[in-house]
Amino acid sequence: MPAAGFVAPGGVEFEARITPYVIITCIMAASGGLMFGYDIGISGGVTSMNDFLEKFFPVVYRKKNEIQDNNTYCKYDNQGLQLFTSSLYLAGLIATFFASYTTRVWGRKPTMLIAGILFLIGVVLNAVAQDLAMLIIGRIMLGCGVGFANQAVPLFLSEIAPTRIRGGLNILFQLNITIGILFANLVNYGTEKITPWGWRLSLGLAAIPALLLTVGSIFIVETPNSLIERGLLEEGRVVLRKIRGTDNVDPEFNELVEASRIAASVKHPFRNLLKRRNRPQLIITMCLQFFQQFTGINAIMFYAPVLFQTLGFKNDASLYSSVITGAVNVVSTLVSIYSVDKVGRRVLLLEAGVQIFVSQVIIGILLATGLKEDEDISKGMAIVIVLMVCTFVSAFAWSWGPLAWLIPSETFPLETRSAGQSVTVCVNLFFTFVIAQAFLSMLCHFKYGIFLFFAGLVLIMSTFVLFLLPETKNVPIEEMTEKVWRQHWLWKKYVTDSDLIDDEDGDAYANQETGKDNVKAYHNSQL
């Protein structure tokens, strides 16, 4: 493939080929998303299986079978059952702080290896669980694996990819999440009739994506950014040549060295995140994670079979419907990979906001006017609901799903990148935990209004995107401050030159412009 590049400040072009090696490496690393996705998809199916409920949640099992009408919204309302799903995300939230340390000090590659091993331990405990305590401990280990993977994989993908296809390659992580969800839905559909151990097979097959990440992390290279950040300059140069497919890497290498020098001068990256100059990235990151979860997507993905059963679908129909939505999720994520670096992040988010809002309002109105407490759902209404859920899922899959991970991973400067990714994962998993723990209770109390509740939040998040989220497509990671934040009508107030030297870490920033001038001078001397 012919060489190409992006233009850095001063007119210097960073040459980069799209090599098969980079594509294969990114695919292997992105398998961490399979773990996350499989768990999201598997929990809903397992928690609707009678054998699983009878063994671990007999109260829910009795309630489910004593209530004859399928439309009762409260049949699955049980805090213990919700804890089975949500405990993983609470564990992941805590684990991400440790993952930040390993990502920064040991590198992205070892952190992914740790993630795979922790997830495998959790899989074994879940598959052979004899009581609720063992089941929850297994879920906690799974959560630790998810926390480490979600910390390292997006960073790895953003740093290894050439700038012009960074968005598409980063979304491989989200694509694998959707494939994991679909795989889990298919597994649940097949194991639901295997009595009494079908649920064990569903939980045990999570070992497949965990093994892919574990083995893959052994063979992939470390990112040049991480090697240079840890002082391994020559190794970083060698890897940069390998992944860019060219020997002409000096301009990009020198920029990475300068960014690393600045990062090394920052003694407290987490505290540094709170400084005025880093406020735009921090606010946007936290809002994106909150909004992603409160689109209502995980209410669908965690509990798709449970939700469809609650709405009146029979067992087979509910699992079949969740398989359909999982397939739509995968195909729609491919749309994002193709379009994100062409039309940009903002366009995808704004279009999806309209689509999600309309689909949720329609679902809410249908359930409010057409669902009777003493009747099964009609076939026509069931088809419309599934279509609207698919419309919702498709919009999420090419917008809020991948972009809430992509945008934070490409906007933080190197000196706060690991800490910033920790905040991203932490906030995301916190609100994932909130939704997982609360959704069945919200469904019980809000009934059809749950969809109208999420629709209202979609209006708020679309307004946020319209006014406060800048476009980041085709902008080199190390140039975000100059090309994005200093050009935005609001955020430019926080990254003025005077704000770059306001604390004990400020000496690094005071020399930042001088350092960039030195790099540019070196570049010019090579022309």
Side-chain angles (χ1 to χ4, degrees):
M1 187 171 293
F6 59 84
V7 179
V12 179
E13 185 173 331
F14 290 176
E15 186 176 323
R17 300 174 186 269
I18 303 175
T19 63
Y21 182 81
V22 166
I23 302 298
I24 293 171
T25 297
C26 288
I27 290 173
M28 293 176 71
S31 63
L34 286 174
M35 298 193 321
F36 194 18
Y38 186 88
D39 186 81
I40 290 173
I42 210 68
S43 57
V46 167
T47 52
S48 69
M49 294 181 185
N50 284 330
D51 293 325
F52 177 82
L53 292 174
E54 187 176 15
K55 183 172 182 62
F56 296 107
F57 304 98
V59 173
V60 178
Y61 175 76
R62 288 193 297 271
K63 185 192 299 185
K64 175 184 176 183
N65 289 280
E66 287 171 1
I67 297 176
Q68 295 303 313
D69 60 285
N70 287 323
N71 299 329
T72 303
Y73 285 95
C74 299
K75 65 167 69 175
Y76 289 100
D77 181 20
N78 179 273
Q79 290 299 309
L81 182 62
Q82 292 175 114
L83 182 62
F84 165 75
T85 298
S86 65
S87 58
L88 180 146
Y89 305 101
L90 184 60
L93 186 157
I94 297 171
T96 189
F97 291 105
F98 298 95
S100 174
Y101 175 83
T102 63
T103 302
R104 186 177 68 256
V105 177
W106 297 351
R108 286 55 164 156
K109 177 178 173 176
T111 303
M112 287 188 280
L113 179 61
I114 293 171
I117 293 171
L118 289 173
F119 203 87
L120 282 171
I121 295 171
V123 169
V124 172
L125 289 173
N126 271 186
V128 302
Q130 298 301 313
D131 52 41
L132 185 58
M134 190 173 182
L135 190 71
I136 297 300
I137 291 172
R139 294 288 291 178
I140 290 172
M141 295 304 296
L142 292 175
C144 291
V146 166
F148 274 77
N150 287 11
Q151 167 74 16
V153 173
L155 284 184
F156 180 93
L157 295 174
S158 286
E159 293 176 347
I160 211 85
T163 298
R164 69 187 184 282
I165 60 167
R166 185 179 65 233
L169 287 182
N170 196 287
I171 292 174
L172 285 174
F173 180 66
Q174 180 67 22
L175 176 64
N176 276 339
I177 291 177
T178 64
I179 293 173
I181 292 171
L182 176 59
F183 178 41
N185 289 335
L186 291 170
V187 168
N188 282 334
Y189 186 74
T191 60
E192 194 266 338
K193 293 181 176 63
I194 301 177
T195 302
W197 50 271
W199 62 270
R200 292 189 186 275
L201 182 59
S202 288
L203 296 177
L205 287 176
I208 294 175
L211 283 171
L212 287 175
L213 180 65
T214 304
V215 174
S217 63
I218 295 173
F219 293 101
I220 61 176
V221 296
E222 183 59 90
T223 71
N225 309 61
S226 178
L227 291 168
I228 294 169
E229 184 181 23
R230 290 180 285 129
L232 304 173
L233 301 186
E234 197 52 43
E235 290 91 334
R237 188 193 294 271
V238 170
V239 171
L240 192 60
R241 287 194 187 113
K242 189 172 186 179
I243 64 175
R244 296 295 180 251
T246 178
D247 290 332
N248 183 28
V249 297
D250 282 350
E252 185 175 2
F253 176 78
N254 284 319
E255 185 132 324
L256 290 175
V257 169
E258 178 58 23
S260 177
R261 184 190 67 79
I262 294 168
S265 301
V266 177
K267 302 173 184 177
H268 309 287
F270 277 99
R271 191 169 71 188
N272 202 268
L273 278 176
L274 301 177
K275 298 302 179 183
R276 179 181 175 88
R277 60 180 170 267
N278 293 315
R279 205 165 296 167
Q281 301 97 310
L282 185 61
I283 291 173
I284 285 176
T285 290
M286 296 178 70
C287 288
L288 286 175
Q289 305 317 306
F290 170 81
F291 289 147
Q292 186 201 58
Q293 296 308 307
F294 279 86
T295 57
I297 186 62
N298 278 340
I300 300 292
M301 291 305 172
F302 288 156
Y303 300 111
V306 170
L307 178 63
F308 284 125
Q309 282 189 32
T310 298
L311 298 179
F313 291 63
K314 301 299 184 181
N315 279 6
D316 285 350
S318 68
L319 287 169
Y320 186 63
S321 298
S322 64
V323 170
I324 292 174
T325 58
V328 169
N329 200 13
V330 173
V331 173
S332 300
T333 304
L334 293 173
V335 173
S336 185
I337 290 177
Y338 174 78
S339 59
V340 68
D341 290 315
K342 292 181 171 61
V343 304
R345 285 64 162 152
R346 279 168 48 86
V347 171
L348 289 176
L349 289 170
L350 291 171
E351 184 281 331
V354 175
Q355 191 170 323
I356 291 172
F357 176 80
V358 171
S359 61
Q360 288 181 326
V361 169
I362 292 175
I363 293 173
I365 292 174
L366 285 175
L367 296 180
T369 59
L371 188 63
K372 308 299 183 183
E373 285 292 329
D374 56 349
E375 298 177 4
D376 286 341
I377 195 169
S378 69
K379 183 177 180 180
M381 182 177 172
I383 292 173
V384 175
I385 289 177
V386 172
L387 286 175
M388 287 300 99
V389 169
C390 289
T391 300
F392 167 34
V393 169
S394 65
F396 178 88
W398 63 55
S399 62
W400 286 98
L403 299 185
W405 291 107
L406 167 62
I407 293 171
S409 73
E410 65 184 5
T411 52
F412 283 105
L414 184 61
E415 61 269 10
T416 56
R417 191 169 300 155
S418 181
Q421 184 65 15
S422 287
V423 172
T424 300
V425 176
C426 180
V427 175
N428 184 279
L429 291 179
F430 173 76
F431 287 112
T432 305
F433 165 77
V434 169
I435 288 292
Q437 188 64 32
F439 175 70
L440 293 179
S441 297
M442 292 171 68
L443 181 63
C444 176
H445 292 89
F446 286 18
K447 297 181 172 59
Y448 62 83
I450 190 71
F451 293 98
L452 302 179
F453 168 76
F454 286 128
L457 287 173
V458 169
L459 281 180
I460 296 173
M461 64 182 69
S462 297
T463 302
F464 171 85
V465 172
L466 182 62
F467 292 104
L468 296 179
L469 184 69
E471 183 56 69
T472 56
K473 74 167 184 174
N474 296 330
V475 179
I477 292 179
E478 308 305 338
E479 301 300 327
M480 288 291 172
T481 297
E482 293 294 328
K483 292 191 172 184
V484 174
W485 307 118
R486 285 188 173 178
Q487 306 301 319
H488 191 269
W489 69 272
L490 175 62
W491 303 127
K492 65 183 180 182
K493 301 175 183 177
Y494 295 89
V495 290
T496 59
D497 290 335
S498 61
D499 292 320
L500 296 181
I501 45 174
D502 59 359
D503 62 18
E504 63 183 66
D505 292 323
D507 55 339
Y509 293 91
N511 294 323
Q512 186 168 5
E513 296 303 318
T514 301
K516 286 183 178 179
D517 289 341
N518 290 339
V519 172
K520 291 177 185 177
Y522 172 84
H523 292 161
N524 292 333
S525 71
Q526 304 299 308
L527 297 178

